[in-house]
Amino acid sequence: MKYQIITFGCQMNKNDSQRISAMLQKLKFSPASEINEADLVVINVCSVRQSAVDRAIAISQKLKVKSQNHNSKVKTVITGCILKKDKERFQRIANAVLDVLNIKNLPQILKDLGFQIKETKIKNYLKVAPKYDKNPVAYVPIMTGCNNFCAYCVVPYTRGPERSRPPQDILCEVKNWLKQEVKEIWLLGQNVNSYKFKLKTQNSCSQGRRAKLKTTTQKSKLIDFAKLLKMVNDLPGDFWIKFTSSHPKNLTDELIETMAKCKKVTPYINLPVQTGDDEILKRMNRPYTVAHYKKLVKKLRNAFKKYRKGLEKEIAISTDIIVGFPGEKRKHFENTKKLFKEIGFFMAYIAKYSPRPGTSAYHLKDDVLPQEKDKREKELTEIVKKTAFEFNKKFVGKVVDVLVLKKKKGFYFGKTRHYQTIKFPASKKNLIGQFVKVKVTKARDFGLEGTQ
Ligand code: SF4
């Protein structure tokens, strides 16, 4: 029995696919080298953008037509972040549809579809160890779901409320990755900053040496994201820690200080601001102000200056932004441009607003014209190009630590601790998956060049 998984969307979906892969291999499936060879195709969809949903539908339709015309036995299962309104559509073209929260039912579903497997009971899919794919970077979910209901976002509807994983499970997973020579750990969650887990601790206490009475008291200790970060940082080994995504409303002073003090945490943060205008923030249901965001950036910069040395004194800040949210007039957008110039982001993930059914913004008029959204996207890209270049220029002539990720056309490509992409001439030695020192020779808009 051969399988193939097609994944859309974020790192969380990619990590889910690694777990599905591990589940399938436990059920005696083996990976197919191409889709035509597969008896089972699992499509892990993402509902954040309509384009990903449309592509998933097109692939399933193709597979359906193929199975009808060629009498092929390929079965398609669709999972992932699925919106209610898409579910029926998916059900018409796939053999089975199950949302990510029910992935534990996959063995039973496969049995029902006629696969010869011994049923495996899985309580929680996060307990399934993900499949190692020789990548030096591993993604470890620490929580899933979201309670924030930002007006444009489907995640609270598809992944449900926030649930944090026990810290023991997270540490165990990180240790397993490190044993497999993983060099960078990304802690994942829709909002990692609101990670919370009540850890039960047992205290046994005998009073006096000869006391016959032994009392056991149960206490609980609250582990928040700052504590978890420190616990991961304290694990032995030479590795880097990054995390995503961070909500500005939950970025506490304690967390900022912990980040700066924990040396395995690299000097990089993605802090989504989404818009640089308070009125639009309110409409987006993002409960902070631009002034608060600026304060956070200042605190982050000060903390890294205080606790780090050399290049590490400067933290790289990237952001997520939506242009053309309903009601975003030119004057609001100008505030976003102003914020971009002020902060000097080193990278920005710019999305053009598109209405998603089921979200509260879906009922607002999508009143910014597509050509205006394109224009705003370009204007912001131009600003980020300049600020990123300014940031990268500071690294020219310096030696940086690089995690080598791939080799292409005579060059190695890797990431620095600040999350810059760096390119340098490849040697005969295989350096992929290793930390190396590289001297930066040139800064580009979105990257660096160097030599060993
Ligand atoms: S914080 Fe907002 S944007 Fe992020 S997952 Fe939750 S609802 Fe979506």
Side-chain angles (χ1 to χ4, degrees):
M1 298 184 297
K2 299 222 160 168
Y3 73 94
Q4 187 153 90
I5 304 178
I6 301 168
T7 312
F8 293 95
C10 65
Q11 276 312 335
M12 196 66 128
N13 263 24
K14 287 179 191 152
N15 184 269
D16 287 345
S17 288
Q18 284 181 323
R19 282 172 212 277
I20 296 169
S21 192
M23 260 168 108
L24 291 172
Q25 292 190 30
K26 242 184 174 177
L27 298 170
K28 305 278 179 266
F29 280 82
S30 55
S33 50
E34 53 164 306
I35 199 159
N36 292 330
E37 217 187 65
D39 305 293
L40 170 70
V41 176
V42 178
I43 307 178
N44 191 359
V45 300
C46 161
S47 296
V48 170
R49 302 232 166 88
Q50 189 58 41
S51 55
V53 175
D54 294 342
R55 273 164 60 211
I57 287 173
I59 295 170
S60 334
Q61 253 157 355
K62 236 189 195 171
L63 287 168
K64 191 178 176 188
V65 171
K66 189 184 144 201
S67 71
Q68 283 165 346
N69 292 351
H70 305 285
N71 214 8
S72 120
K73 290 201 180 78
V74 61
K75 298 276 192 269
T76 316
V77 174
I78 298 187
T79 184
C81 285
I82 301 172
L83 275 173
K84 234 192 196 161
K85 70 119 201 159
D86 291 325
K87 203 165 184 172
E88 274 179 25
R89 240 173 122 194
F90 285 146
Q91 270 160 344
R92 283 198 293 274
I93 44 177
N95 298 93
V97 178
L98 77 164
D99 67 52
V100 71
L101 300 172
N102 295 327
I103 204 75
K104 62 177 190 290
N105 300 335
L106 185 62
Q108 185 57 51
I109 282 174
L110 295 177
K111 219 175 170 186
D112 295 346
L113 289 177
F115 288 103
Q116 298 291 312
I117 50 165
K118 284 185 192 149
E119 196 189 322
T120 314
K121 291 256 178 275
I122 296 166
K123 269 196 195 148
N124 176 348
Y125 84 102
L126 285 173
K127 295 265 181 201
V128 178
K131 196 82 205 143
Y132 176 56
D133 54 9
K134 296 201 170 71
N135 191 339
V137 183
Y139 299 88
V140 178
I142 63 166
M143 47 97 69
T144 73
C146 184
N147 298 343
N148 292 316
F149 292 92
C150 299
Y152 48 82
C153 182
V154 295
V155 170
Y157 307 96
T158 57
R159 285 194 179 259
E162 279 176 14
R163 275 147 298 133
S164 295
R165 289 179 80 191
Q168 312 91 293
D169 288 10
I170 296 166
L171 294 177
C172 187
E173 198 167 309
V174 173
K175 280 191 219 160
N176 280 339
W177 283 126
L178 297 175
K179 269 189 225 151
Q180 317 210 40
E181 309 210 340
V182 159
K183 293 283 194 296
E184 184 174 72
I185 301 287
W186 280 77
L187 303 175
L188 286 187
Q190 267 73 36
N191 177 14
V192 288
N193 299 356
S194 68
Y195 174 89
K196 247 181 245 95
F197 194 89
K198 264 192 192 158
L199 197 63
K200 291 211 168 68
T201 50
Q202 276 207 341
N203 276 359
S204 291
C205 148
S206 314
Q207 288 171 352
R209 278 172 92 195
R210 292 191 186 169
K212 285 181 189 147
L213 269 179
K214 190 174 175 187
T215 48
T216 304
T217 48
Q218 277 232 334
K219 279 191 174 174
S220 62
K221 190 174 155 197
L222 186 76
I223 307 291
D224 59 13
F225 186 53
K227 291 198 178 69
L228 181 74
L229 206 54
K230 184 159 182 327
M231 287 160 103
V232 178
N233 185 75
D234 288 347
L235 290 175
D238 184 17
F239 65 99
W240 296 353
I241 305 168
K242 287 191 173 73
F243 55 82
T244 192
S245 187
S246 283
H247 197 305
K249 80 177 167 64
N250 300 104
L251 185 62
T252 60
D253 291 354
E254 192 201 346
L255 177 53
I256 291 175
E257 188 159 311
T258 307
M259 272 181 76
K261 280 183 176 170
C262 292
K263 301 288 153 61
K264 288 176 189 162
V265 176
T266 62
Y268 166 74
I269 189 170
N270 172 257
L271 193 60
V273 66
Q274 305 298 7
T275 166
D277 184 88
D278 284 346
E279 206 184 314
I280 302 296
L281 275 175
K282 248 194 208 150
R283 289 173 76 100
M284 286 179 165
N285 195 26
R286 303 275 294 178
Y288 53 88
T289 59
V290 174
H292 176 74
Y293 186 90
K294 287 201 270 192
K295 232 186 240 167
L296 290 177
V297 169
K298 201 170 169 192
K299 282 180 184 174
L300 279 163
R301 287 181 168 154
N302 287 343
F304 275 77
K305 268 194 189 93
K306 183 169 169 193
Y307 293 109
R308 300 278 175 119
K309 285 186 187 137
L311 286 171
E312 301 259 323
K313 279 185 172 292
E314 185 128 23
I315 179 171
I317 301 172
S318 73
T319 198
D320 296 356
I321 202 93
I322 297 172
V323 292
F325 187 77
E328 187 191 69
K329 303 255 170 3
R330 208 357 100 169
K331 64 170 187 189
H332 303 122
F333 177 66
E334 286 301 326
N335 284 336
T336 302
K337 279 172 70 179
K338 199 171 144 217
L339 180 75
F340 264 54
K341 284 177 193 160
E342 242 178 281
I343 303 279
F345 292 111
F346 118 97
M347 195 160 47
Y349 302 94
I350 307 168
K352 289 177 274 185
Y353 174 77
S354 69
R356 305 300 298 123
T359 60
S360 62
Y362 190 65
H363 306 289
L364 303 174
K365 196 171 171 222
D366 183 16
D367 54 0
V368 183
L369 293 173
Q371 52 273 41
E372 180 59 23
K373 286 179 187 165
D374 287 346
K375 196 165 171 264
R376 291 181 193 181
E377 183 198 23
K378 274 189 199 125
E379 285 177 48
L380 284 186
T381 307
E382 281 313 307
I383 299 173
V384 185
K385 259 190 196 170
K386 281 187 195 130
T387 53
F389 182 63
E390 285 307 311
F391 182 81
N392 290 336
K393 257 180 13 192
K394 296 176 193 161
F395 290 74
V396 177
K398 307 270 171 32
V399 175
V400 292
D401 290 314
V402 174
L403 174 58
V404 186
L405 298 175
K406 62 175 182 188
K407 191 177 182 181
K408 209 176 152 192
K409 293 182 184 161
F411 287 95
Y412 278 123
F413 290 82
K415 287 280 185 189
T416 66
R417 282 175 60 84
H418 289 82
Y419 205 44
Q420 294 136 312
T421 300
I422 183 160
K423 164 183 167 180
F424 60 97
S427 55
K428 277 193 188 136
K429 249 185 172 176
N430 181 15
L431 297 179
I432 295 171
Q434 292 186 33
F435 288 133
V436 295
K437 301 257 181 224
V438 177
K439 184 164 184 189
V440 180
T441 51
K442 193 176 172 187
R444 290 183 288 120
D445 293 347
F446 293 119
L448 302 170
E449 287 179 20
T451 172
Q452 259 199 302

